[in-house]
Every structure is written in C-alpha cells, then in structure tokens.
Amino acid sequence: MTGTATTSPSATRRPGPAGRLARALPMPAGAGLSRMLVERNITSFRHGWIALVTGFAEPVFYLFSLGIGIGALVRTVTTDSGMTVTYPQFVAPALLAASAMNGAVMDSTFNVFFKLKYAKLYDAVLATPMGPRDVAVGEISWSLLRGAMYSAAFLVVALLAGAVRSWWALLALPAAVFIGFAFAAVGMFATTFMRSWVDFDYITLAIQPMFLFSATFFPLSTYPDALQWLVRLTPLYHGVALERALMLGDVGWGVLAHVGYLVVLGLLGVVGAARRLERLLLS
C-alpha cells in the first residue's frame, strides 16, 4: 500500500526573527537545545523592550554627570601605566565594563530566581528534551546577550562623547562579552542558593562596592597597598582594566591575563549553576 507523506504547516514554517537570532548565537558543542530557551527569552522581551532600554541608562548618566561634570574640574588623569588622559576617557571604559556587569547580573539573578521559584518555568522546560545543563547555558547566554546590548549602546554614547581614543576600541564589545559571561555565570550560580527576595541584598552588597572601588573612578595607585590587592581579586577590576586598555590603546600582554581570569570564572559559574539546577530540579 502506497501512502503520500503529508507535512503540517507548523513543520514547514520558517523561524521568526527571534528564532533566527537564537540560532545565530555561538553555543558550546552539544548545547543546541539551549537555543530554544534563548529564543523563548527573546520572544518574551519583544513586547517588553522598555525594560531593556532602561538597563544602560545608569552608566550613561554616570558618564555625563561624573565623567563630563567632574571632568571640568579634573582635567587629566594619569593611569597606572603612566598614560595621561582626560577624565571622561579614563572613566568611560570602566562604565562600559559596569554596563556589561549590570546587564548580565540583573537578568541572571532576579529574573532567574522568579522563573525558578515562582513561575516554575524550568519544571516545564524539563518536560521537554532539555536538561539542567541546557537551562544553565541558555539562561547564561541570554544574560550575556543582554549585557552585550547594553555595552554596545554605551560604547556608541562614549564614542559620540569623545571618550574613545584608539582603534583598539573595536574589541571593546567582544571584551564586554567576556565580562558579561563571568558575571552571568556566577550570578546564576549564586541565585540557585537564594531562598527569598531578601537574600538579594547580598547581591547588592557585592555589586555596589565593586562598582565604586574597582578602579572605576580613580587609578588603582591611589588606593592603599592592602586595598589594591583586594581590588585586584574582584572580577570587575579585570573587566575595567581590560576595557581601559582597549579604549585607550594601552594594550599589552597583561590583557590576556584579564581575559583568562574572566573566562575561568565564567566556566566555573556555568558548571556550578548546571550542577545546582540538576540538584534542585531533579531531586
């Protein structure tokens, strides 16, 4: 008996813009299913774009209020490498790193916690072929993408404000992706330990001092020696140093150390988040 195969319209339907964007994202080998979660997040924010737009406003305000406002009083700053630059040029790379951090952390903590504890989204996800590793990679990839969008918008503002002085700044956006990766992975790992919204005070307690004291507004050499070693241990300092080297054209072998620190921290966060999700969702 000969039959004729039929194909449903849904099977031949071409993916929309969200699907094409999700499929274009670079993913680790074997993590293809995590693209579905990224596509879901893109579709979810398609009508809530105002939440994305407001995310990069804070560092822009800091750039114009502190960078340009204080820049009228502090004409030049000598970096730790001995380069003399204007204050807006000094502070803009740090705010770019902070923008990547904020975008990644906000999504990988508050949003993930709501999906995990209240919306029970991941319980539904595990009813599909996706596993805890796909959830971790998908959510971290989306947080990374969100942080990259904030960084790209801020980089355009910094360029228009005259705070970019080197063609090395073309690599500032890829560098922001490394920063977002580290903070998104660690942020999601930390979120799996959160019991209630009150615990998010610890996130603020960690992020705010890093933003203020990771050589963001002053050279590291102005800090006491004991505090300098503490600052060097923070991930945002490595992000700030990386972006500052690129945007000022002060590139050396030390840049690779900053990249390595962020990549290792991000990989540890991915592994930790995947294992914690497996314990929480499959136990």
Side-chain angles (χ1 to χ4, degrees):
M1 180 176 180
T2 304
T4 303
T6 60
T7 305
S8 63
S10 60
T12 58
R13 185 175 57 190
R14 293 183 178 180
R20 290 195 295 271
L21 178 58
R23 287 165 174 76
L25 293 175
M27 293 284 186
L33 290 177
S34 60
R35 285 187 171 89
M36 300 298 101
L37 195 56
V38 176
E39 182 176 349
R40 179 262 172 201
N41 288 331
I42 295 174
T43 304
S44 175
F45 275 90
R46 186 172 57 186
H47 301 293
W49 57 269
I50 190 66
L52 298 177
V53 172
T54 57
F56 83 100
E58 182 180 0
V60 170
F61 291 154
Y62 272 107
L63 176 62
F64 284 97
S65 61
L66 295 178
I68 296 179
I70 296 181
L73 303 174
V74 181
R75 295 293 183 181
T76 60
V77 176
T78 301
T79 66
D80 295 310
S81 63
M83 179 180 291
T84 301
V85 297
T86 65
Y87 191 69
Q89 292 173 343
F90 176 81
V91 77
L95 294 177
L96 175 60
S99 183
M101 175 188 72
N102 289 338
V105 167
M106 293 301 292
D107 199 273
S108 65
T109 55
F110 291 95
N111 288 346
V112 167
F113 182 78
F114 176 79
K115 296 173 186 176
L116 179 65
K117 297 293 186 179
Y118 295 93
K120 302 296 182 181
L121 175 67
Y122 303 135
D123 293 316
V125 167
L126 292 183
T128 71
M130 295 178 65
R133 177 177 177 271
D134 299 305
V135 172
V137 173
E139 289 291 5
I140 291 171
S141 297
W142 166 245
S143 300
L144 188 153
L145 178 62
R146 187 171 178 177
M149 287 189 293
Y150 291 164
S151 301
F154 180 84
L155 186 59
V156 172
V157 174
L159 179 63
L160 296 176
V164 177
R165 57 177 289 171
S166 172
W167 285 103
W168 281 103
L170 293 173
L171 298 179
L173 186 57
V177 172
F178 287 115
I179 299 169
F181 173 59
F183 279 99
V186 173
M188 187 172 184
F189 179 52
T191 301
T192 60
F193 291 94
M194 300 296 176
R195 299 159 297 178
S196 68
W197 294 109
V198 177
D199 290 336
F200 280 88
D201 290 341
Y202 295 112
I203 299 294
T204 304
L205 184 63
I207 293 299
Q208 198 64 27
M210 273 198 295
F211 173 65
L212 295 175
F213 299 111
S214 295
T216 312
F217 302 106
F218 308 99
L220 186 63
S221 58
T222 61
Y223 293 75
D225 291 339
L227 188 58
Q228 287 184 26
W229 286 104
L230 180 61
V231 169
R232 286 192 177 97
L233 296 177
T234 63
L236 184 58
Y237 166 75
H238 291 274
V240 169
L242 176 60
E243 294 289 6
R244 189 165 281 151
L246 293 172
M247 293 180 67
L248 299 181
D250 188 17
V251 178
W253 290 108
V255 168
L256 297 179
H258 300 312
V259 173
Y261 177 100
L262 296 171
V263 170
V264 170
L265 185 63
L267 292 176
L268 291 175
V270 170
V271 173
R275 290 182 176 178
R276 281 288 300 168
L277 285 175
E278 184 175 4
R279 182 177 301 177
L280 291 172
L281 298 175
L282 299 182
S283 61

